[in-house]
Amino acid sequence: MNTTLSWIKAYVPDLDCTAKEYANAMTMSGTKVETYTEYDRDLDRIVVGQIMSIEPHPDADHLVICQVDIGTETIQIVTGAPNVAVGQKVPVVLDGGKVAGNHDGKMTQGGIPIKAGKLRGVESNGMMCSIEELGSSREFYPEAPEYGIYVFDNDVPAGADAVHELGLDDTNVEYEITNNRVDCYSVIGIAREAAATFHKEFHKPEVPKTGNEEDVNDYVKVRVEDPDLCPRYTARVVKNIHIAPSPKWMQRRLAANGIRPINNLVDITNYVMEEYGQPMHAYDYDKIAGHEIIVKRAQDGEVYTTLDGQERHLDKDVLMINDAEGPVGIAGIMGGENSMITDDVKTMLFEAACFNGTNIRLSAKRIGLQTDASRKFDKGLDPNLAAEAINRACALVEEMGAGEVVGGMIDIYPVKREESRVAFEPDKINQLLGTDIPAEQMLKYFAKIELRYDKDTNEIAAPTFRQDIHRTCDLAEEVARFYGYDRIPTTLPKGEATQGGKPEELMVQEMCSTAARYCGFSEAFCYSFESPKVYDKLRIPEGDPIRNAITISNPLGEDFSIMRTIPLNGMLTSLAFNQNHRNKNVRLYEFGKIYLPKALPLTELPDERQQLTLGAYGDYDFFQMKGTVEVLLDALHIKEKPVYDPAEKKPFLHTGRQADIFIGKTKIGYLGELHPLVLQNYGMTERTYVAVLDMPSVCRFADFDRKFEGIARFPAVERDLSMVVPKHISNGQIEAMLEQRGGKILENVELFDLYEGIQVKPGFKSMAYRLTFRAKDRTLQDADIDAAMKKVLNGLKSMEIELRS
């Protein structure tokens, strides 16, 4: 929401503060100021000058010499402006002054200083300015020429402050308004807050009674068929329309708020929308078939062309404004091409209504059209505002001579909204705030913002525009912001002690994150919405269950049209981005969910499974990824060692360089090197390794019961085994056998040598292990070691493994 200080001061005339003071005070009272722009910050010594004479420059065809009356004296200015003429009144920056320097849409910080000097040998004591050099544009000053200097009306006196005459001695303030304060999406709402903040009187615009002796009901009939979507509809008629430019004061206020002035009728509707926060719409009365307005839902599949010339596809949940023959506008969003106001309009129908905010928001999203009006409606407007706004618009019509207002107003308002009431409990308010504010002081705060105290019922009555006042805590908020948050003392919280804790799933996630960072990985965040093309990039075959993805009903686009069923795409996209930007040795991990539907189309919520995805390239290999997985599992104190099964062939992983990860008989994930074709699909060139752990499966084995064990008191005994092993037997199988046969005294098994070559017979490999034995309660004897080694050797023999001599 934006307002200008001058517009605020129109309703708070005693407001006297700088822009900085205003911004600080408003922020502290709850109306947060995001930023403010002083239009005249870079403008200095700019006055209105009248051109008295023009002579050609003796040494330049494109320059002329002007004698300019600046009120106190006549100065000479050399200019190349193509539109100068004798008698014109123009903005003149004097010697030592500054202009904004808005060139090609770029502002020069601090302004451009102007000095007296010579132009092609002729003295020039200033400069005449275009509207761009004053920091604005023709968008907001349409009367300004496209090329050349700005020209004032003749009634502006020479010597006057040009910046003031243009309305540029003002400040535009941008606010961050929360959605519960709908009343502050208007100049009047902000002015009411400013008056309360600075302890000044608030003066609401005086709206005189308007209308001739005729009756509007003789001109038009209105019927609302869906009052749940349109709780109030008001309409008035204006005849004998006279379209002309709106007065300068209105143009200046609209321009300062970022709205381009167009003509008196359009400007009035925009002005009232900014002033009251109530959108309005004007229809050409002669284009309304049957002179009848019907407010009802659209039909499924209906197509309608809006004012912007675009066809909109509607459904039964979109509310339409219709005449006797069909739609003339989409309620609360945009009017139709078939009823638009043109320059030859004779009679106009003014509409000010209140529409269901939720319906407007959803309708605007479905038809793909958001407007200033829909953004205001979707926050939920006060129905009582409609009549005030339409009467204000008609008063401006009469004031500006834009037409003749027909007497009366059509008002369809079946259920009137009444003020809300909250019990006044000052002790409870003080308890909530930790303060000791007297009740009388609280009532003064309430009175400033038009919250009325009812002595008979001991209640605070909130006007309907304050839709955020419903209970005591809301009143406490009003007290706090005007008492001053900075004045509220620091107090300890009161209440019963509670015992908190983290869920087991979160504890597992935090432990895995810590372990991943220990291994050099950085956390990544990827989208849960993906493109169906992902499955082709990952070489997932047709018919694979992974392709059964949930489709988004209203996607941002095809690239975000399904919910992911496999977590790799986001990780690979991030790794590819890093490779393409020449980042070396990248390691990333992500905690994210996949969404597995139980049936398609959906009949119940999908299975949301959290996955831990690891990805790395650079100075990294398959075994390092395997080691990282084991570090993660070890951090969770999982007692069983993981087993790796290379049997399954995943199409996105390299054949022979992948494995499923099991704990016991439960599959908890997989790891491997990315397939070369998948690398190519993602535009990567370096070998890339990934691992995916299914966290619900991992959590089943996590053990948080940790017990302290002291340093071993007795010595260890080591035995080395060098053997010739058939190639089809994996290291995991051998380690499992060694641990099972070694018994309780076997402390550690380490593979320290692996060799395949000409010195080993075909179909076999050479492997060497170091076995460490230790007892916790005694020193081991040779008999203990020999017994364990005998069992180990029998196990090796049963696996057809030979010892090397």
Side-chain angles (χ1 to χ4, degrees), residues 758-795:
I758 58 174
Q759 296 181 12
V760 180
K761 58 184 178 180
F764 287 80
K765 55 189 174 183
S766 173
M767 303 178 73
Y769 289 87
R770 177 164 292 126
L771 308 184
T772 303
F773 297 92
R774 190 197 306 266
K776 296 180 180 180
D777 57 348
R778 60 193 172 87
T779 299
L780 292 175
Q781 304 296 320
D782 287 343
D784 300 319
I785 306 300
D786 292 342
M789 287 298 298
K790 184 177 181 180
K791 294 179 181 179
V792 166
L793 294 174
N794 288 335

Tab-separated table of all heavy atoms in Angstrom, residues 758-795:
chain	number	residue	atom	x	y	z
A	758	ILE	N	47.663	-61.210	-13.169
A	758	ILE	CA	48.191	-62.419	-13.794
A	758	ILE	C	48.725	-63.402	-12.764
A	758	ILE	O	48.871	-64.597	-13.052
A	758	ILE	CB	49.294	-62.063	-14.807
A	758	ILE	CG1	50.419	-61.282	-14.125
A	758	ILE	CG2	48.714	-61.266	-15.972
A	758	ILE	CD1	51.613	-61.018	-15.056
A	759	GLN	N	49.036	-62.931	-11.553
A	759	GLN	CA	49.579	-63.833	-10.546
A	759	GLN	C	48.492	-64.605	-9.813
A	759	GLN	O	48.779	-65.430	-8.946
A	759	GLN	CB	50.418	-63.036	-9.537
A	759	GLN	CG	51.635	-62.382	-10.172
A	759	GLN	CD	52.470	-61.607	-9.159
A	759	GLN	OE1	52.265	-61.734	-7.959
A	759	GLN	NE2	53.436	-60.834	-9.646
A	760	VAL	N	47.244	-64.305	-10.132
A	760	VAL	CA	46.112	-65.018	-9.533
A	760	VAL	C	45.396	-65.744	-10.658
A	760	VAL	O	45.182	-65.196	-11.751
A	760	VAL	CB	45.157	-64.048	-8.824
A	760	VAL	CG1	43.989	-64.807	-8.199
A	760	VAL	CG2	45.909	-63.244	-7.764
A	761	LYS	N	44.993	-66.983	-10.408
A	761	LYS	CA	44.370	-67.786	-11.465
A	761	LYS	C	43.053	-67.168	-11.909
A	761	LYS	O	42.375	-66.494	-11.131
A	761	LYS	CB	44.174	-69.222	-10.995
A	761	LYS	CG	43.317	-69.382	-9.739
A	761	LYS	CD	43.282	-70.842	-9.312
A	761	LYS	CE	42.476	-71.035	-8.046
A	761	LYS	NZ	42.442	-72.455	-7.622
A	762	PRO	N	42.691	-67.406	-13.157
A	762	PRO	CA	41.474	-66.796	-13.712
A	762	PRO	C	40.235	-67.138	-12.880
A	762	PRO	O	40.076	-68.251	-12.385
A	762	PRO	CB	41.391	-67.404	-15.118
A	762	PRO	CG	42.790	-67.796	-15.443
A	762	PRO	CD	43.411	-68.221	-14.152
A	763	GLY	N	39.335	-66.145	-12.755
A	763	GLY	CA	38.088	-66.333	-12.014
A	763	GLY	C	38.228	-66.137	-10.529
A	763	GLY	O	37.262	-66.322	-9.784
A	764	PHE	N	39.458	-65.744	-10.079
A	764	PHE	CA	39.690	-65.573	-8.647
A	764	PHE	C	40.320	-64.203	-8.391
A	764	PHE	O	40.807	-63.525	-9.299
A	764	PHE	CB	40.600	-66.678	-8.109
A	764	PHE	CG	39.920	-68.018	-7.997
A	764	PHE	CD1	39.749	-68.830	-9.126
A	764	PHE	CD2	39.453	-68.477	-6.762
A	764	PHE	CE1	39.117	-70.058	-9.026
A	764	PHE	CE2	38.828	-69.709	-6.664
A	764	PHE	CZ	38.651	-70.498	-7.801
A	765	LYS	N	40.341	-63.802	-7.130
A	765	LYS	CA	40.981	-62.567	-6.685
A	765	LYS	C	41.692	-62.835	-5.372
A	765	LYS	O	41.321	-63.747	-4.616
A	765	LYS	CB	39.958	-61.447	-6.503
A	765	LYS	CG	38.802	-61.811	-5.571
A	765	LYS	CD	37.704	-60.761	-5.576
A	765	LYS	CE	36.501	-61.233	-4.741
A	765	LYS	NZ	35.387	-60.269	-4.776
A	766	SER	N	42.723	-62.046	-5.091
A	766	SER	CA	43.486	-62.200	-3.860
A	766	SER	C	42.998	-61.160	-2.855
A	766	SER	O	42.908	-59.979	-3.162
A	766	SER	CB	44.978	-62.015	-4.126
A	766	SER	OG	45.684	-62.009	-2.909
A	767	MET	N	42.667	-61.631	-1.635
A	767	MET	CA	42.189	-60.734	-0.595
A	767	MET	C	42.928	-61.058	0.698
A	767	MET	O	43.217	-62.216	0.990
A	767	MET	CB	40.675	-60.883	-0.376
A	767	MET	CG	39.850	-60.653	-1.630
A	767	MET	SD	38.059	-60.876	-1.372
A	767	MET	CE	37.679	-59.404	-0.446
A	768	ALA	N	43.234	-60.012	1.480
A	768	ALA	CA	43.946	-60.189	2.748
A	768	ALA	C	43.214	-59.432	3.845
A	768	ALA	O	42.846	-58.265	3.677
A	768	ALA	CB	45.379	-59.714	2.628
A	769	TYR	N	42.988	-60.116	4.977
A	769	TYR	CA	42.255	-59.531	6.103
A	769	TYR	C	43.117	-59.545	7.345
A	769	TYR	O	43.935	-60.456	7.552
A	769	TYR	CB	40.978	-60.330	6.391
A	769	TYR	CG	39.897	-60.166	5.335
A	769	TYR	CD1	39.882	-60.979	4.197
A	769	TYR	CD2	38.893	-59.210	5.481
A	769	TYR	CE1	38.907	-60.846	3.230
A	769	TYR	CE2	37.902	-59.066	4.523
A	769	TYR	CZ	37.911	-59.886	3.402
A	769	TYR	OH	36.930	-59.740	2.451
A	770	ARG	N	42.878	-58.554	8.195
A	770	ARG	CA	43.510	-58.540	9.517
A	770	ARG	C	42.400	-58.699	10.545
A	770	ARG	O	41.457	-57.895	10.595
A	770	ARG	CB	44.266	-57.243	9.750
A	770	ARG	CG	44.891	-57.152	11.136
A	770	ARG	CD	45.939	-56.057	11.211
A	770	ARG	NE	47.089	-56.405	10.388
A	770	ARG	CZ	47.587	-55.607	9.423
A	770	ARG	NH1	47.022	-54.441	9.168
A	770	ARG	NH2	48.642	-55.995	8.713
A	771	LEU	N	42.529	-59.771	11.379
A	771	LEU	CA	41.544	-60.047	12.411
A	771	LEU	C	42.131	-59.639	13.764
A	771	LEU	O	43.258	-60.006	14.098
A	771	LEU	CB	41.195	-61.544	12.438
A	771	LEU	CG	40.782	-62.193	11.105
A	771	LEU	CD1	40.380	-63.641	11.329
A	771	LEU	CD2	39.644	-61.423	10.459
A	772	THR	N	41.354	-58.861	14.503
A	772	THR	CA	41.794	-58.409	15.831
A	772	THR	C	40.922	-59.081	16.881
A	772	THR	O	39.682	-58.968	16.844
A	772	THR	CB	41.682	-56.879	15.950
A	772	THR	OG1	42.457	-56.272	14.914
A	772	THR	CG2	42.197	-56.420	17.302
A	773	PHE	N	41.575	-59.779	17.839
A	773	PHE	CA	40.868	-60.469	18.913
A	773	PHE	C	41.183	-59.788	20.238
A	773	PHE	O	42.310	-59.353	20.496
A	773	PHE	CB	41.288	-61.942	18.978
A	773	PHE	CG	40.956	-62.735	17.742
A	773	PHE	CD1	41.882	-62.855	16.697
A	773	PHE	CD2	39.724	-63.362	17.619
A	773	PHE	CE1	41.580	-63.594	15.562
A	773	PHE	CE2	39.431	-64.109	16.483
A	773	PHE	CZ	40.343	-64.214	15.450
A	774	ARG	N	40.166	-59.679	21.089
A	774	ARG	CA	40.383	-59.114	22.417
A	774	ARG	C	39.238	-59.555	23.328
A	774	ARG	O	38.081	-59.605	22.916
A	774	ARG	CB	40.441	-57.589	22.377
A	774	ARG	CG	40.901	-56.969	23.693
A	774	ARG	CD	40.546	-55.477	23.752
A	774	ARG	NE	41.021	-54.721	22.645
A	774	ARG	CZ	42.170	-54.046	22.568
A	774	ARG	NH1	42.989	-54.079	23.618
A	774	ARG	NH2	42.505	-53.357	21.499
A	775	ALA	N	39.551	-59.855	24.570
A	775	ALA	CA	38.526	-60.172	25.569
A	775	ALA	C	38.431	-59.010	26.541
A	775	ALA	O	39.441	-58.376	26.868
A	775	ALA	CB	38.864	-61.465	26.310
A	776	LYS	N	37.248	-58.753	27.038
A	776	LYS	CA	37.044	-57.619	27.938
A	776	LYS	C	37.430	-57.932	29.375
A	776	LYS	O	37.673	-57.016	30.164
A	776	LYS	CB	35.581	-57.176	27.894
A	776	LYS	CG	35.150	-56.642	26.537
A	776	LYS	CD	33.696	-56.214	26.581
A	776	LYS	CE	33.267	-55.673	25.218
A	776	LYS	NZ	31.840	-55.234	25.210
A	777	ASP	N	37.498	-59.225	29.698
A	777	ASP	CA	37.686	-59.594	31.100
A	777	ASP	C	38.993	-60.317	31.396
A	777	ASP	O	39.274	-60.680	32.538
A	777	ASP	CB	36.524	-60.454	31.576
A	777	ASP	CG	36.352	-61.705	30.718
A	777	ASP	OD1	36.993	-61.762	29.638
A	777	ASP	OD2	35.579	-62.596	31.102
A	778	ARG	N	39.822	-60.559	30.348
A	778	ARG	CA	41.044	-61.322	30.582
A	778	ARG	C	41.976	-61.172	29.391
A	778	ARG	O	41.573	-60.680	28.330
A	778	ARG	CB	40.717	-62.804	30.790
A	778	ARG	CG	40.015	-63.436	29.599
A	778	ARG	CD	39.427	-64.803	29.947
A	778	ARG	NE	38.602	-65.299	28.874
A	778	ARG	CZ	39.058	-66.011	27.825
A	778	ARG	NH1	40.339	-66.302	27.744
A	778	ARG	NH2	38.219	-66.431	26.899
A	779	THR	N	43.202	-61.658	29.604
A	779	THR	CA	44.157	-61.716	28.502
A	779	THR	C	43.966	-63.020	27.762
A	779	THR	O	43.904	-64.096	28.374
A	779	THR	CB	45.612	-61.629	29.030
A	779	THR	OG1	45.782	-60.391	29.705
A	779	THR	CG2	46.607	-61.732	27.889
A	780	LEU	N	43.836	-62.935	26.449
A	780	LEU	CA	43.579	-64.133	25.646
A	780	LEU	C	44.801	-65.055	25.631
A	780	LEU	O	45.955	-64.598	25.561
A	780	LEU	CB	43.197	-63.731	24.230
A	780	LEU	CG	41.853	-63.022	24.060
A	780	LEU	CD1	41.673	-62.571	22.609
A	780	LEU	CD2	40.700	-63.933	24.454
A	781	GLN	N	44.524	-66.368	25.633
A	781	GLN	CA	45.559	-67.388	25.510
A	781	GLN	C	45.604	-67.896	24.073
A	781	GLN	O	44.664	-67.706	23.296
A	781	GLN	CB	45.255	-68.561	26.471
A	781	GLN	CG	45.109	-68.146	27.926
A	781	GLN	CD	46.389	-67.579	28.500
A	781	GLN	OE1	47.500	-68.102	28.218
A	781	GLN	NE2	46.264	-66.526	29.304
A	782	ASP	N	46.706	-68.581	23.712
A	782	ASP	CA	46.833	-69.118	22.360
A	782	ASP	C	45.695	-70.086	22.050
A	782	ASP	O	45.202	-70.142	20.911
A	782	ASP	CB	48.176	-69.862	22.214
A	782	ASP	CG	49.345	-68.885	22.145
A	782	ASP	OD1	49.075	-67.672	21.886
A	782	ASP	OD2	50.481	-69.313	22.332
A	783	ALA	N	45.236	-70.814	23.038
A	783	ALA	CA	44.156	-71.775	22.804
A	783	ALA	C	42.873	-71.066	22.387
A	783	ALA	O	42.128	-71.573	21.539
A	783	ALA	CB	43.916	-72.605	24.070
A	784	ASP	N	42.636	-69.892	22.974
A	784	ASP	CA	41.437	-69.119	22.602
A	784	ASP	C	41.511	-68.695	21.147
A	784	ASP	O	40.534	-68.815	20.386
A	784	ASP	CB	41.284	-67.883	23.494
A	784	ASP	CG	41.158	-68.248	24.969
A	784	ASP	OD1	40.443	-69.227	25.255
A	784	ASP	OD2	41.730	-67.532	25.803
A	785	ILE	N	42.679	-68.203	20.765
A	785	ILE	CA	42.845	-67.708	19.400
A	785	ILE	C	42.782	-68.877	18.421
A	785	ILE	O	42.134	-68.790	17.367
A	785	ILE	CB	44.177	-66.959	19.247
A	785	ILE	CG1	44.310	-65.855	20.292
A	785	ILE	CG2	44.290	-66.373	17.847
A	785	ILE	CD1	43.248	-64.813	20.251
A	786	ASP	N	43.438	-69.975	18.751
A	786	ASP	CA	43.462	-71.113	17.833
A	786	ASP	C	42.066	-71.673	17.611
A	786	ASP	O	41.710	-72.068	16.492
A	786	ASP	CB	44.397	-72.215	18.388
A	786	ASP	CG	45.858	-71.795	18.370
A	786	ASP	OD1	46.171	-70.834	17.624
A	786	ASP	OD2	46.659	-72.400	19.103
A	787	ALA	N	41.265	-71.737	18.648
A	787	ALA	CA	39.901	-72.256	18.510
A	787	ALA	C	39.076	-71.383	17.577
A	787	ALA	O	38.322	-71.877	16.726
A	787	ALA	CB	39.233	-72.347	19.885
A	788	ALA	N	39.221	-70.048	17.751
A	788	ALA	CA	38.460	-69.132	16.894
A	788	ALA	C	38.947	-69.229	15.453
A	788	ALA	O	38.147	-69.246	14.512
A	788	ALA	CB	38.593	-67.706	17.416
A	789	MET	N	40.278	-69.336	15.260
A	789	MET	CA	40.819	-69.385	13.909
A	789	MET	C	40.420	-70.684	13.213
A	789	MET	O	40.219	-70.713	11.993
A	789	MET	CB	42.340	-69.253	13.952
A	789	MET	CG	42.819	-67.859	14.281
A	789	MET	SD	42.313	-66.634	13.060
A	789	MET	CE	43.128	-67.221	11.598
A	790	LYS	N	40.292	-71.775	13.989
A	790	LYS	CA	39.879	-73.039	13.382
A	790	LYS	C	38.485	-72.925	12.791
A	790	LYS	O	38.221	-73.391	11.675
A	790	LYS	CB	39.935	-74.155	14.437
A	790	LYS	CG	39.606	-75.537	13.886
A	790	LYS	CD	39.757	-76.606	14.957
A	790	LYS	CE	39.440	-77.981	14.368
A	790	LYS	NZ	39.574	-79.059	15.394
A	791	LYS	N	37.578	-72.271	13.544
A	791	LYS	CA	36.216	-72.062	13.036
A	791	LYS	C	36.231	-71.170	11.789
A	791	LYS	O	35.485	-71.412	10.834
A	791	LYS	CB	35.341	-71.434	14.109
A	791	LYS	CG	35.092	-72.332	15.324
A	791	LYS	CD	34.216	-71.615	16.356
A	791	LYS	CE	33.978	-72.497	17.567
A	791	LYS	NZ	33.149	-71.810	18.588
A	792	VAL	N	37.090	-70.159	11.809
A	792	VAL	CA	37.181	-69.256	10.661
A	792	VAL	C	37.668	-70.007	9.430
A	792	VAL	O	37.119	-69.866	8.325
A	792	VAL	CB	38.101	-68.061	10.982
A	792	VAL	CG1	38.466	-67.304	9.714
A	792	VAL	CG2	37.451	-67.139	11.996
A	793	LEU	N	38.703	-70.834	9.594
A	793	LEU	CA	39.252	-71.558	8.461
A	793	LEU	C	38.244	-72.563	7.905
A	793	LEU	O	38.155	-72.760	6.680
A	793	LEU	CB	40.532	-72.268	8.878
A	793	LEU	CG	41.707	-71.342	9.260
A	793	LEU	CD1	42.888	-72.159	9.792
A	793	LEU	CD2	42.122	-70.502	8.052
A	794	ASN	N	37.461	-73.189	8.784
A	794	ASN	CA	36.418	-74.107	8.305
A	794	ASN	C	35.367	-73.332	7.503
A	794	ASN	O	34.830	-73.829	6.513
A	794	ASN	CB	35.770	-74.828	9.485
A	794	ASN	CG	36.683	-75.855	10.115
A	794	ASN	OD1	37.595	-76.372	9.450
A	794	ASN	ND2	36.479	-76.165	11.388
A	795	GLY	N	35.067	-72.119	7.940
A	795	GLY	CA	34.111	-71.300	7.213
A	795	GLY	C	34.626	-70.938	5.835
A	795	GLY	O	33.874	-70.946	4.846
